[in-house]
Each structure stands twice: as structure tokens, then as C-alpha cells.
Amino acid sequence: MVDLLRSIPPGLILVVGALLLPLFRRSPAVLKALLVALPAASYAHLLSLPAGEWAPWAVFGGLQLVPVRIDPLAMVWGHVFHIAALLSAVYSLHVRDPWRHVAGLSYAGSAIGAVFAGDLLTLFVYWELTAVTSVFLIWGRDELDDGVADMWTRGERFRSGMRYLVIQVLSGVVLLAGILWRLADHQGSGEGGNPLYFGHLFSGSILDAPVATQLIFLAFGIKAAFPLLHSWLQDAYPKGTVTGTVFLSAFTTKMAIYTLARGFAGTEVLVTLGVVMTLFPVFFAVIENDLRRVLAYSLNNQLGFMCVGVGIGTELALNGTAGHAFAHILYKALLFMSMGAVLYRTGTTRATELGGLARTMPWTATFCIVGSISISAFPFTSGFVTKSMVLSAAGEGHMTWVFLALMFASAGVLEHSGIKIPFFAFFAHDSGKRPKEAPRHMLVAMGAAAAACLLIGCAPSLLYGLLPFPVDYHPYSASHVADQMMLLSFAALAFVVLWRTGRYPAEERATVLDADWLYRRAAPGLLRVAWGVIGGAWGRLLGLGVWVVRSTQATVYFWAGPRGFFGRTWTVGNMALWSIVLLGVYLLLVLLWG
């Protein structure tokens, strides 16, 4: 029995177990029990597996698949992905539709399988499976409380989900193209080894990398929400269901960060990309009205810190990336859970329609504040003990401009996620709404996530012991604590001054577009113009063709019609005359050229 269990890849228990959930749709108690038991069983199964790689599976052409590889780097994501799956399952206990649970747990299991994949082909299978399963977390129908209306229509969710699915599948297509190109290069060069093995692929300048490696890097970058490739995140995540967005926030982008850490540690361009990712969301989040969209922008910001750590590539930086991914999944899930509870009770997360909810939702407000101070990296929270590792790695590498940019981005995080989210939802102006507190199971999930954020912040060694490299780092030095508190204090002061003087950007009922303007506004406009030009040209060409046909028809009728030269009745004398003329012409030609 033990050997049988050890032959099951990590995450597969979640994928297969999720498919059985619809069988228990008429037994809500059993369905809820299984919903919690499956992530717990999958986690216990992972902890029982020995470290190392599974025996390779031979496939065509002497190539080998390594379906499972368990090492310290993968285990960081394995731990937190299971925790996130369990918290998300508890949070969604009120959902009666079993197919929503199928989508959520199979999506989580696919992401776990991708993390432990030891070859690129196995990674590709899980990569695409996460895309197919996660889209139903956007298309699902919300079960809101007290008859409140959903803020998104079914049509808006469907269109957003389709855009999300196209981009996610495109990432898989690019990944497959890179794998096939890599195989072709391998066969052409006659190199040894296994080109499908997923290890360190490249470091240095990505422009010097082979085309196959560049394609794989691009595929990872799409799901990691690189600049100009990121808009699917802000487009889709806020339109997910109350519970679906919690799942979405944990897996896709962090799975991509893992693949970058595994394959592209030390790739220089990741530092620049990461800095840009930390900066631009600050400006968009300030003017955004939908608070779940604000969180999506802040997710981009936090991914930037992780990309910088991967790009630096030192042990401290990679530890910082892994630790920050772990902490980020927890506090970001907590923030999305708190906003999901607000959406569940009020039907909206638009700042213009909220405020004063702390009166009747005090626990949700408290947990939201814990998530906000964690993402802002206050001392004694998880963000403080992980984000500082990336900052220290940049400082040790004498990357002054990178360090300063990350400090500015840290201040921006406090403004849009640390203050704006709880302030506009639970305090600020009084919206007059008096919803009930979130359901008990939601409070349990939020409470557990909040406790984890505080526990990691107070006892960082618990997390540091899971990181891939030995940790010799002490976050609570006097200088670090003082510097961080001064940064946060001045950022908070700036918000207060702007708010009190009326200069803080007003919340407006509008959709903020950034790079998605290219395919949601520019591309349709260009298509309309192109269709008009093509349609006009086709109309003129068709008119010309009709004129040519009609002219030809008239000409033929004129000459060969009943009254035409060749169509009328000729006398015998005229025919004889023309016969003599033609015979004479023929004889003349024979004499001239004979």
C-alpha cells in the first residue's frame, strides 16, 4: 500500500479526487468534508514522499521523462500551495455547485504537479491543465447573500474569461514551441543528455540565449505577468467568483515564478523587468475604483520583487524570492478573501459604493488590516521578513538604482494596498450599507491566514527553515527596522495629507485600462477601420467586375446578337464574295511566307 501511494505524483490526489465531488452533490455534509479532506490528504501524501527524482520514463527517440522531482526549491511551493488549497477550500464551503469545487481543486492540483515536474513535457501538460481548469473560476455563477446583485454581468465574465483562456493557452503553445525547437536543436547537434530535463536553462543576457530558450522564457513570462503581458491579470481576476479569485491569486503567477527560479536564475533582464513590475502598478492602483482590481495591480507589484530576486540569482536573492512567494500567497489570499466577503455581503467591491462596513463586519475588517500591514511589510508580519531579503540582496550586489526603486515601490504598496483597501472598504465615508458579518467558515479561513502572516513575522525561522539554501539572515536588525518604519511612516503621512487636503485622486465609476487598451480598444478599432477599407475595396472591385461582365455581354450581343453583324442572315452572294476574299488572303499569305 505504501509503495502504491508513493507511485502517485504530487497533486494527482487533488485532480482525481476533485472529479469525484459531483457524485456527492446530494450529500452537502459529505461534500464539505471531502472538500477539506482532499487538500489535507494531498499534503500528507507529499510529506510522505522521499526527496529526489523518480526513475525516468523512456519515451520516443531515447528521450526520458522525469515526472516527479522533489527538492528543497520545489518543496517551498509544495508547502504553500497545499496550505492555500486548504484555506481556499474552507473559504468556499458555502458553495453548493460541486463543479465549482472541481475547478478549484483540480486547478490547485495541476499547479502542484507542475511544481514537481522534472521535465519540460510533463510541465507543459500541467501548464495547460491549469489554464483549462482555472477559467471556470471566472465563468462560475456567484452565490451572493441577501439577494444582492452581482457587480459583473454574465456577458462581461464570459468575455473576460475568453480573453484569459486565449492568453493562458497561448502561453502553453509558446512553451510547446520552445520544447520542440529545443528537441530539434538537440537532434541536429547530436548532443548527449536529455533535452527534456527541466533544470537550469540559462543565465546572463537573454538575447544571447538560443531561440528555444527564449521561447520558453517568454512562455513563463506570460504567466508571470511581465510588463505589457500582464493585463490578463487585471482583466480576469476581479471578475472571478467570490471564491474563485482566492484560488486564482495563489497559483498561476506563483507557479510561473517557480519556473523562472528553476530555469532562469541569474538572467539579467529579470532585474529590469521586475523593477518595472514593482513600479507601474502603483500609479494605476491609485486611480482604480474596483478594490479587487487594486489587489490585482498590487499582485503585479509583488511579482516584481520576486522577479528581481530571480534575476539577481544569488542564494540570498533566491531564498528571498521563495520566501516572499510563500508569504505573498498567504497575505494576498487573505486580502482577496476579505474583499470576497465584502462582495458576498454587498454585491460590490467598488470604492465609490463602500465605506463604513467596519460597523457590522468588524472581524473581516480586522483580518483585512492584518493582510494590509503584511503586504506593506510592517515589522512582525510575514512581508517584513521576506521582502527585506530581496532588498538586502540588491544592496549586497551594489545595485543602487534597483534598491531605490524597490524602496519607492514598497512605499507605494502601503498606499494602495496597506491603506486604500481597508480604508475605503471599511472606513472613509459612510455608504449606509449595514451588511452582516461574513459567514463563519470564511472567518475561519481568514483567521487562519492572518495567524500565519503574524506567526511568520514573529518567528521567521519557521519559514527560513523551509527555504532552498541555508539562511544566515537576521531581519530584525535595528537599522532595518528603523529604515522600514521611517519609510512606512512617511508614506502614511503622504496619504493623510493628500486625503485631508482633497488632493488624493477621486474614486470614479470607470474602468481603468493600461496595456489591455491595445486589444480591448485599439485592436477592435483597427479591425473596424481595416474592415471598412477592405469592404470598400471589395465593393469597388465587385462593381468593376459587374461592369466588365455587363460590357462584355453588351459587346457580344451587339456583334453576335440577332441584329448583329455576325448574327444576321446573309445572302448566298455575300457569302460567296467573302469566301473568295478569304481564299485570296490565304493564297497571298502562302506566297509571302511559303
Side-chain angles (χ1 to χ4, degrees):
M1 184 66 179
V2 174
D3 292 337
L4 177 62
L5 288 175
R6 289 188 174 183
S7 65
I8 299 174
L12 194 61
I13 290 176
L14 277 176
V15 175
V16 176
L19 297 176
L20 301 177
L21 292 178
L23 299 176
F24 303 95
R25 64 178 355 178
R26 297 185 183 277
S27 303
V30 176
L31 181 63
K32 292 179 180 180
L34 286 175
L35 192 59
V36 176
L38 283 173
S42 179
Y43 193 22
H45 169 250
L46 173 63
L47 296 178
S48 71
L49 296 177
E53 297 178 359
W54 284 17
W57 296 357
V59 291
F60 54 89
L63 299 174
Q64 294 179 329
L65 300 181
V66 183
V68 174
R69 173 187 50 216
I70 300 176
D71 65 5
L73 181 64
M75 281 300 295
V76 176
W77 273 262
H79 288 304
V80 73
F81 275 3
H82 278 98
I83 295 172
L86 180 59
L87 292 176
S88 300
V90 173
Y91 185 79
S92 59
L93 286 176
H94 67 281
V95 177
R96 294 186 295 271
D97 182 6
W99 292 106
R100 293 258 299 279
H101 298 312
V102 171
L105 291 186
S106 58
Y107 168 50
S110 302
I112 292 167
V115 165
F116 290 98
D119 67 86
L120 292 169
L121 201 56
T122 302
L123 174 67
F124 165 76
V125 173
Y126 286 120
W127 197 261
E128 290 294 70
L129 192 57
T130 59
V132 174
T133 53
S134 60
V135 72
F136 294 100
L137 300 173
I138 302 169
W139 284 340
R141 179 178 174 273
D142 258 330
E143 299 174 358
L144 300 181
D145 197 27
D146 293 337
V148 295
D150 192 351
M151 64 185 292
W152 300 109
T153 66
R154 182 179 294 272
E156 288 173 320
R157 287 191 174 198
F158 177 77
R159 290 189 293 271
S160 177
M162 284 301 299
R163 291 190 291 266
Y164 170 85
L165 183 61
V166 167
I167 293 173
Q168 297 301 305
V169 171
L170 174 64
S171 172
V173 171
V174 174
L175 176 58
L176 181 60
I179 294 171
L180 295 178
W181 201 311
R182 185 176 174 86
L183 288 174
D185 289 345
H186 170 76
Q187 292 175 356
S189 64
E191 296 176 355
N194 181 13
L196 288 177
Y197 186 77
F198 181 33
H200 184 70
L201 300 176
F202 189 78
S203 59
S205 174
I206 195 66
L207 296 177
D208 298 330
V211 175
T213 304
Q214 292 176 344
L215 288 172
I216 295 172
F217 181 77
L218 176 61
F220 293 169
I222 293 174
K223 286 206 175 187
F226 281 177
L228 301 182
L229 303 175
H230 68 279
S231 296
W232 59 267
L233 198 158
Q234 286 78 28
D235 182 22
Y237 280 20
K239 296 185 181 71
T241 63
V242 168
T243 58
T245 302
V246 179
F247 277 99
L248 290 169
S249 70
F251 298 106
T252 296
T253 51
K254 263 63 72 181
M255 176 183 70
I257 293 296
Y258 164 79
T259 58
L260 289 171
R262 171 69 68 184
F264 292 95
T267 302
E268 298 168 357
V269 71
L270 283 172
V271 176
T272 303
L273 290 172
V275 168
V276 174
M277 290 167 69
T278 63
L279 294 178
F280 80 84
V282 173
F283 303 99
F284 285 103
V286 168
I287 61 175
E288 178 57 57
N289 187 33
D290 181 0
L291 296 182
R292 291 212 296 179
R293 224 172 126 86
V294 172
L295 289 177
Y297 275 116
S298 78
L299 200 158
N300 258 124
N301 169 279
Q302 298 298 291
L303 292 172
F305 281 90
M306 301 174 209
C307 284
V308 169
V310 175
I312 295 173
T314 62
E315 289 189 359
L316 176 61
L318 291 176
N319 275 340
T321 295
H324 198 50
F326 192 106
H328 174 263
I329 288 172
L330 295 176
Y331 59 63
K332 184 62 68 175
L334 175 57
L335 288 169
F336 271 114
M337 283 191 281
S338 63
M339 289 301 100
V342 169
L343 177 62
Y344 182 72
R345 289 305 197 197
T346 66
T348 184
T349 53
R350 294 189 177 100
T352 51
E353 301 172 16
L354 296 175
L357 302 187
R359 290 179 173 87
T360 54
M361 301 182 73
W363 283 108
T364 302
T366 301
F367 295 140
C368 181
I369 291 172
V370 172
S372 296
I373 63 175
S374 296
I375 196 173
S376 303
F378 270 84
F380 304 107
T381 66
S382 57
F384 179 83
V385 301
T386 57
K387 187 184 295 184
S388 60
M389 299 178 78
V390 178
L391 287 166
S392 297
E396 289 184 2
H398 304 288
M399 300 178 178
T400 305
W401 69 273
V402 175
F403 182 85
L404 293 176
L406 294 183
M407 292 293 286
F408 173 82
S410 297
V413 171
L414 172 67
E415 193 284 324
H416 62 69
S417 290
I419 298 177
K420 180 173 181 173
I421 294 293
F423 182 69
F424 283 102
F426 300 101
F427 305 99
H429 52 78
D430 188 356
S431 63
K433 292 182 171 65
R434 297 294 183 266
K436 295 184 293 185
E437 180 58 275
R440 185 173 300 175
H441 65 277
M442 287 187 175
L443 294 177
V444 169
M446 287 188 279
C453 292
L454 297 175
L455 180 63
I456 293 172
C458 295
S461 59
L462 296 175
L463 175 58
Y464 289 173
L466 302 176
L467 298 181
F469 302 104
V471 178
D472 183 17
Y473 179 76
H474 304 284
Y476 287 107
S477 63
S479 60
H480 179 215
V481 173
D483 291 346
Q484 186 68 6
M485 289 306 299
M486 284 190 292
L487 176 70
L488 296 176
S489 298
F490 279 110
L493 179 62
F495 176 87
V496 172
V497 171
L498 291 173
W499 175 258
R500 298 294 295 177
T501 58
R503 296 183 179 181
Y504 189 83
E507 308 304 311
E508 298 182 2
R509 300 173 186 269
T511 299
V512 177
L513 299 179
D514 51 81
D516 54 343
W517 177 87
L518 295 172
Y519 60 83
R520 295 180 65 181
R521 294 290 187 271
L526 290 175
L527 287 176
R528 284 192 293 270
V529 172
W531 181 252
V533 172
I534 293 171
W538 173 252
R540 287 189 290 271
L541 181 62
L542 188 61
L544 178 62
V546 170
W547 178 83
V548 169
V549 170
R550 289 179 176 175
S551 299
T552 303
Q553 182 183 15
T555 303
V556 171
Y557 185 82
F558 175 80
W559 289 100
R563 297 180 181 275
F565 181 77
F566 295 105
R568 69 185 181 215
T569 302
W570 287 27
T571 64
V572 175
N574 286 335
M575 293 300 297
L577 176 63
W578 280 108
S579 297
I580 293 171
V581 171
L582 291 175
L583 180 60
V585 172
Y586 175 73
L587 292 175
L588 181 62
L589 292 174
V590 171
L591 289 173
L592 291 175
W593 281 282

